[in-house]
Amino acid sequence: MPKKTAVKDYIRTIVDFPHEGIMFRDVTTLFADPRGFRMAIDQMLHPYAGERIDKVVGLEARGFIMGGAIAHQLSVGFVPIRKKGKLPGRTLSQDYKLEYGEAIVEIHEDAIQPGEKVLVVDDLLATGGTASAGIKLIERLGGEIISCAFIVDLPDLGGRKVLEDLGMDVHVLCEFDGE
């Protein structure tokens, strides 16, 4: 077995999941390996050394894993953005388009205070739909997004351009061509 020297080496590809023609990039193998997980957290933190961050926002669901670990390392609060109906308190909602249909994400309306500096985290950037919806929620609460960080970018799907067109700084650890 070849030595794993990069985050990308820890991510497996599952062919035809969840349906035929999809190359699913599975980060659970990265999360399960202590060296790989530490490498990913360290690399996601590196660009923000010395930067003021008040909150880390994780996008459902794998963004919670990375976001929680990053918030811990930074000694800042963690805020989840969840699918509709999953948060118990008063929420703000934002709809967004999926490849086939629509979805809604929510944030607690008291999760972020105006002027707080926010880092948005998720595992994978595809079309940018979920991240865009999360950005809109954070901005509606008055949060200032310093950057959006992802483990994987699928550049063929255009999500990075979508976020950059919203004025976002985007940081990714690796890319995979195709879907």
Side-chain angles (χ1 to χ4, degrees):
M1 176 183 261
K3 184 176 181 189
K4 295 177 180 178
T5 59
V7 167
K8 190 173 185 174
D9 298 335
Y10 291 91
I11 299 168
R12 74 176 157 194
T13 298
I14 300 175
V15 178
D16 294 330
F17 181 84
H19 52 79
E20 190 173 333
I22 299 295
M23 303 286 282
F24 186 82
R25 309 308 177 172
D26 182 15
V27 295
T28 63
T29 49
L30 169 70
F31 296 160
D33 187 284
R35 279 186 223 103
F37 190 54
R38 167 62 69 189
M39 182 187 303
I41 296 297
D42 289 348
Q43 288 179 17
M44 288 186 91
L45 283 166
H46 182 74
Y48 312 109
E51 187 117 21
R52 178 182 147 212
I53 296 173
D54 299 305
K55 299 271 175 71
V56 174
V57 169
L59 303 175
E60 184 156 334
R62 290 173 299 271
F64 299 169
I65 297 165
M66 297 301 294
I70 290 168
H72 171 77
Q73 287 296 106
L74 294 172
S75 297
V76 301
F78 172 77
V79 175
I81 289 185
R82 302 219 49 199
K83 293 176 183 169
K84 182 177 174 67
K86 299 290 185 180
L87 292 171
R90 293 175 52 106
T91 61
L92 292 179
S93 299
Q94 182 66 49
D95 63 332
Y96 64 100
K97 298 211 181 301
L98 297 167
E99 189 174 349
Y100 301 104
E102 293 186 4
I104 298 173
V105 291
E106 296 180 323
I107 190 171
H108 278 131
E109 64 182 28
D110 60 355
I112 295 170
Q113 301 307 307
E116 285 189 313
K117 307 289 186 191
V118 177
L119 173 63
V120 177
V121 176
D122 203 1
D123 68 319
L124 185 125
L125 177 56
T127 64
T130 306
S132 295
I135 288 164
K136 289 175 185 166
L137 287 172
I138 294 163
E139 290 178 338
R140 284 170 57 196
L141 291 173
E144 296 177 23
I145 301 165
I146 63 151
S147 187
C148 301
F150 303 89
I151 299 170
V152 175
D153 181 18
L154 303 177
D156 294 348
L157 297 181
R160 183 179 197 130
K161 181 173 178 2
V162 168
L163 299 187
E164 288 173 344
D165 286 350
L166 291 174
M168 296 295 118
D169 173 68
V170 178
H171 173 66
V172 298
L173 301 186
C174 64
E175 296 180 350
F176 286 93
D177 292 330
E179 298 180 15

